[in-house]
Amino acid sequence: MIQLRCIKCNKKYPPEKRIYTCQCSGVLEVEIDLGEVSIDKDRLRRRKFGVWRYRELLPINKESKIITLGEGGTPLYKAETLGRKIGVKNLYIKNEGANPTGSFKDRGMTIGVTKALEFGATIVGCASTGNTSASLAAYAAKAQIKCLVLLPSGKIALGKLAQAILHGAKVIGIKGNFDTALKLVREASEELNIYLLNSINPWRLEGQKTEAFEIADQLDFQPPDRVVLPVGNCGNISAIWKGFKELKIVGLIDSLPIMTGIQAKGASPVVKAFKQGREDITPVEKPETIASAIRIGAPVNALKALRALKESGGIAESVSDDEILNAQKMIACLEGIGVEPASASSIAGLIKLLEAGEIDRDERIVCITTGHALKDPEIIFKEYERPIEIEPRLDKLKEVIKW
Ligand code: AN7
């Protein structure tokens, strides 16, 4: 049995109901009766990697037309060199930039757009700091339905904007930030019959919980001690925590990791609330950071995230733009993994917490890098030297090569 439950007042709704929030305005969670689920490691191992490897734990009808681009199945790297540099023996990087459109959002959209079709929607929409729009535009194209995306004008990394345009979405810039755009698209979804696929949509997060399933699976069901990831609108950390809890309930793992959420200093309402022991956030009016993906001041899933942090005995920390850029360079040059700035905040946060003695160096740690470096090429050109140009002569080449 599947139902929707409000995480604030516990009110339940049947899954056929096309709603995003409770009457009390609390956010909803999908509840699957895990007692009815039969799943075992041997059956899983016979299937290929990816979101749909875990279909027994996903809330999709058997008859549904599944919209997929082959999402998930991303590599989990043992980060030996970076680990040695920062003094962690067992450091892993789960690289979500390896998804079809270059971010973890694809895991959510395969479920979200499949669900949109189940509901008979012909238009999907979102507000976005970039990656959600790139992903939704691609999945809407695959499903051959219309897609509307509202973006904070001038604040979107170029690669993401290019993707949304390429896949044929109706892309509209909003004078304001992400939070303003989200408010408008929520209003528009009511009036214009648009199926909303921001992370306020509980079905979408069901796809993202497979990040937890895959991490456990790739570590032979010996879950890590800790998972570190960037936090913006708070959907992903909530989804991943839900995923680990479900794996434990169905008996595939015996322990749960400590969740560790990292925000950028200029956009860190969750870190502030966490440190003050509160369950509600005070929105940041003018969020600012070079990590544009997580430039979010009023995260809609904050309550879910704060509960995930609390239940797992976790930590929330913020990092500066310089720390983020430094971490981006370290991952790129020590491990060969190119990530966008928001993603690098997980490593930046880990370094900060190790130095502060809040994380034990003996832990087995997984850092999630959420989006690909090419999403934001402008940052790279701004922060790094451009190539010099020479005449095509060997003596000139010898002159300029100084390793
Ligand atoms: C690379 O695309 O919110 O805490 O509109 O793109 O689940 O919001 C992106 C978020 C981390 C934060 N890393 O995840 C959007 C959007 C990257 C991201 C996050 C985002 P959530």
Side-chain angles (χ1 to χ4, degrees), residues 243-279:
F244 279 114
K245 284 195 295 187
E246 290 184 358
L247 275 193
K248 185 150 183 268
I249 293 170
V250 299
L252 285 175
I253 57 172
D254 296 327
S255 62
L256 294 169
I258 300 166
M259 301 304 291
T260 302
I262 312 298
Q263 295 199 293
K265 269 217 168 86
S268 53
V270 174
V271 176
K272 284 196 191 94
F274 177 80
K275 291 193 172 178
Q276 293 168 0
R278 293 202 327 259
E279 267 211 335

Coordinates of all heavy atoms in Angstrom, one line a residue, residues 243-279:
G243 N 15.9 6.9 2.0 CA 16.4 5.7 1.3 C 17.1 4.8 2.3 O 16.9 3.6 2.3
F244 N 18.0 5.3 3.0 CA 18.8 4.5 4.0 C 17.9 3.8 5.0 O 18.0 2.6 5.3 CB 19.9 5.3 4.7 CG 21.1 5.4 3.8 CD1 21.5 6.7 3.4 CD2 21.9 4.3 3.5 CE1 22.7 6.8 2.6 CE2 23.1 4.4 2.7 CZ 23.4 5.7 2.3
K245 N 16.9 4.6 5.5 CA 16.0 4.1 6.5 C 15.2 2.9 5.9 O 15.0 1.9 6.6 CB 15.0 5.2 7.0 CG 15.7 6.1 8.0 CD 14.6 7.0 8.8 CE 13.9 7.9 7.9 NZ 13.0 8.8 8.6
E246 N 14.7 3.1 4.7 CA 14.0 2.0 4.0 C 14.8 0.7 3.8 O 14.3 -0.4 4.0 CB 13.4 2.5 2.7 CG 12.3 3.5 2.9 CD 11.6 4.0 1.6 OE1 12.0 3.6 0.5 OE2 10.7 4.8 1.7
L247 N 16.1 0.9 3.5 CA 17.0 -0.2 3.3 C 17.1 -1.0 4.6 O 17.2 -2.3 4.6 CB 18.4 0.2 2.8 CG 18.6 0.5 1.4 CD1 20.1 0.6 1.2 CD2 18.1 -0.6 0.5
K248 N 17.2 -0.3 5.7 CA 17.3 -1.0 7.0 C 16.0 -1.7 7.3 O 16.0 -2.9 7.8 CB 17.6 0.1 8.1 CG 17.9 -0.5 9.4 CD 18.9 0.3 10.2 CE 19.3 -0.4 11.5 NZ 18.4 0.1 12.6
I249 N 14.9 -1.1 7.0 CA 13.6 -1.7 7.3 C 13.4 -3.0 6.5 O 13.0 -4.0 7.1 CB 12.4 -0.8 7.1 CG1 12.5 0.4 8.1 CG2 11.1 -1.5 7.2 CD1 11.5 1.5 7.8
V250 N 13.8 -3.0 5.3 CA 13.7 -4.3 4.5 C 14.8 -5.3 4.7 O 14.9 -6.3 4.1 CB 13.5 -4.0 3.0 CG1 12.3 -3.2 2.7 CG2 14.7 -3.3 2.4
G251 N 15.7 -4.9 5.6 CA 16.8 -5.8 6.0 C 18.0 -5.9 5.1 O 18.8 -6.9 5.3
L252 N 18.2 -5.0 4.2 CA 19.3 -5.0 3.4 C 20.6 -4.4 4.0 O 21.7 -4.7 3.6 CB 19.1 -4.3 2.0 CG 18.2 -5.1 1.1 CD1 17.8 -4.3 -0.2 CD2 18.8 -6.5 0.6
I253 N 20.4 -3.6 5.0 CA 21.6 -3.0 5.8 C 21.2 -3.1 7.3 O 20.1 -3.1 7.7 CB 21.9 -1.6 5.4 CG1 20.7 -0.6 5.5 CG2 22.4 -1.5 3.9 CD1 21.1 0.9 5.3
D254 N 22.3 -3.0 8.1 CA 22.1 -3.1 9.5 C 22.3 -1.8 10.2 O 21.9 -1.7 11.4 CB 23.1 -4.1 10.1 CG 22.9 -5.5 9.6 OD1 21.7 -5.9 9.3 OD2 23.9 -6.3 9.4
S255 N 23.0 -0.9 9.6 CA 23.3 0.4 10.3 C 22.9 1.6 9.3 O 22.8 1.4 8.1 CB 24.8 0.5 10.7 OG 25.5 0.4 9.5
L256 N 22.8 2.7 9.9 CA 22.5 3.9 9.2 C 23.7 4.9 9.2 O 24.3 5.1 10.3 CB 21.2 4.6 9.7 CG 19.9 3.8 9.6 CD1 18.8 4.4 10.4 CD2 19.5 3.7 8.1
P257 N 23.9 5.6 8.1 CA 25.0 6.6 8.2 C 24.6 7.9 8.9 O 23.4 8.2 9.0 CB 25.3 6.9 6.7 CG 24.0 6.6 6.0 CD 23.3 5.6 6.8
I258 N 25.6 8.7 9.2 CA 25.3 10.0 9.8 C 25.2 11.0 8.6 O 26.1 11.0 7.8 CB 26.5 10.5 10.7 CG1 26.7 9.5 11.8 CG2 26.4 11.9 11.2 CD1 28.1 9.6 12.6
M259 N 24.1 11.7 8.6 CA 24.0 12.7 7.5 C 24.7 14.0 7.8 O 24.5 14.5 8.9 CB 22.5 12.9 7.2 CG 21.7 11.7 6.9 SD 22.3 10.8 5.5 CE 21.9 11.9 4.1
T260 N 25.4 14.5 6.8 CA 26.1 15.8 7.0 C 25.8 16.7 5.9 O 26.1 16.4 4.7 CB 27.6 15.5 7.1 OG1 27.8 14.6 8.2 CG2 28.4 16.8 7.4
G261 N 25.1 17.8 6.2 CA 24.6 18.7 5.1 C 25.5 20.0 5.1 O 25.7 20.6 6.1
I262 N 25.9 20.4 3.9 CA 26.7 21.6 3.7 C 26.0 22.6 2.9 O 25.5 22.4 1.8 CB 28.1 21.2 3.1 CG1 28.7 20.0 3.7 CG2 29.0 22.4 3.1 CD1 29.1 20.1 5.2
Q263 N 26.0 23.9 3.4 CA 25.5 25.0 2.7 C 26.6 26.0 2.5 O 27.6 26.0 3.1 CB 24.3 25.6 3.5 CG 23.1 24.7 3.6 CD 21.8 25.4 3.9 OE1 21.7 26.0 5.0 NE2 20.9 25.4 3.0
A264 N 26.3 26.9 1.5 CA 27.2 28.1 1.3 C 26.9 29.1 2.3 O 25.8 29.3 2.7 CB 27.0 28.6 -0.1
K265 N 28.0 29.8 2.8 CA 27.8 30.8 3.9 C 26.7 31.8 3.6 O 25.9 32.1 4.5 CB 29.1 31.5 4.1 CG 30.0 30.9 5.1 CD 30.8 31.9 5.9 CE 31.5 31.2 7.1 NZ 32.8 30.6 6.8
G266 N 26.6 32.3 2.4 CA 25.7 33.3 2.1 C 24.2 32.8 1.9 O 23.3 33.6 1.6
A267 N 24.1 31.5 2.0 CA 22.7 30.9 1.8 C 22.6 29.7 2.7 O 22.5 28.6 2.3 CB 22.6 30.5 0.4
S268 N 22.6 30.0 4.1 CA 22.7 28.9 5.0 C 21.6 28.9 6.1 O 21.9 28.7 7.3 CB 24.1 28.8 5.6 OG 24.4 30.1 6.2
P269 N 20.4 29.0 5.7 CA 19.3 29.1 6.7 C 19.2 27.7 7.5 O 18.9 27.8 8.7 CB 18.0 29.3 5.9 CG 18.3 28.9 4.5 CD 19.8 29.2 4.3
V270 N 19.5 26.6 6.8 CA 19.4 25.3 7.5 C 20.5 25.2 8.6 O 20.2 24.7 9.7 CB 19.4 24.2 6.5 CG1 19.4 22.8 7.2 CG2 18.2 24.3 5.5
V271 N 21.7 25.6 8.2 CA 22.8 25.5 9.1 C 22.5 26.3 10.4 O 22.7 25.9 11.5 CB 24.1 25.9 8.5 CG1 25.3 25.9 9.5 CG2 24.4 25.0 7.3
K272 N 22.0 27.5 10.2 CA 21.6 28.4 11.3 C 20.6 27.7 12.2 O 20.8 27.7 13.4 CB 21.1 29.7 10.8 CG 22.3 30.6 10.3 CD 21.9 32.1 10.2 CE 23.0 32.8 9.4 NZ 22.7 32.9 8.0
A273 N 19.5 27.2 11.6 CA 18.5 26.6 12.4 C 19.0 25.4 13.1 O 18.7 25.2 14.3 CB 17.3 26.2 11.5
F274 N 19.8 24.6 12.4 CA 20.4 23.4 13.0 C 21.2 23.7 14.3 O 21.1 23.1 15.3 CB 21.2 22.6 12.0 CG 21.9 21.4 12.6 CD1 21.1 20.2 12.8 CD2 23.2 21.4 13.0 CE1 21.7 19.1 13.3 CE2 23.8 20.3 13.6 CZ 23.1 19.2 13.7
K275 N 22.1 24.8 14.1 CA 23.0 25.1 15.2 C 22.2 25.7 16.4 O 22.7 25.6 17.5 CB 24.0 26.1 14.7 CG 25.0 25.3 13.8 CD 26.3 26.1 13.5 CE 27.2 25.2 12.7 NZ 28.5 25.8 12.4
Q276 N 21.0 26.3 16.1 CA 20.2 26.8 17.2 C 19.2 25.8 17.7 O 18.4 26.1 18.6 CB 19.5 28.1 16.7 CG 20.4 29.2 16.4 CD 19.7 30.4 15.7 OE1 18.5 30.3 15.4 NE2 20.5 31.4 15.3
G277 N 19.3 24.6 17.2 CA 18.4 23.5 17.7 C 16.9 23.8 17.3 O 16.0 23.3 18.0
R278 N 16.7 24.5 16.3 CA 15.3 24.8 15.9 C 14.8 23.9 14.8 O 15.6 23.4 14.0 CB 15.2 26.3 15.4 CG 15.4 27.3 16.5 CD 14.7 28.7 16.1 NE 14.7 28.9 14.7 CZ 15.6 29.7 14.1 NH1 16.5 30.4 14.8 NH2 15.5 29.9 12.8
E279 N 13.5 23.8 14.6 CA 12.9 23.0 13.6 C 12.4 23.8 12.4 O 12.0 23.3 11.4 CB 11.8 22.1 14.1 CG 12.3 20.7 14.5 CD 11.2 19.6 14.3 OE1 10.0 19.9 14.3 OE2 11.6 18.5 14.1

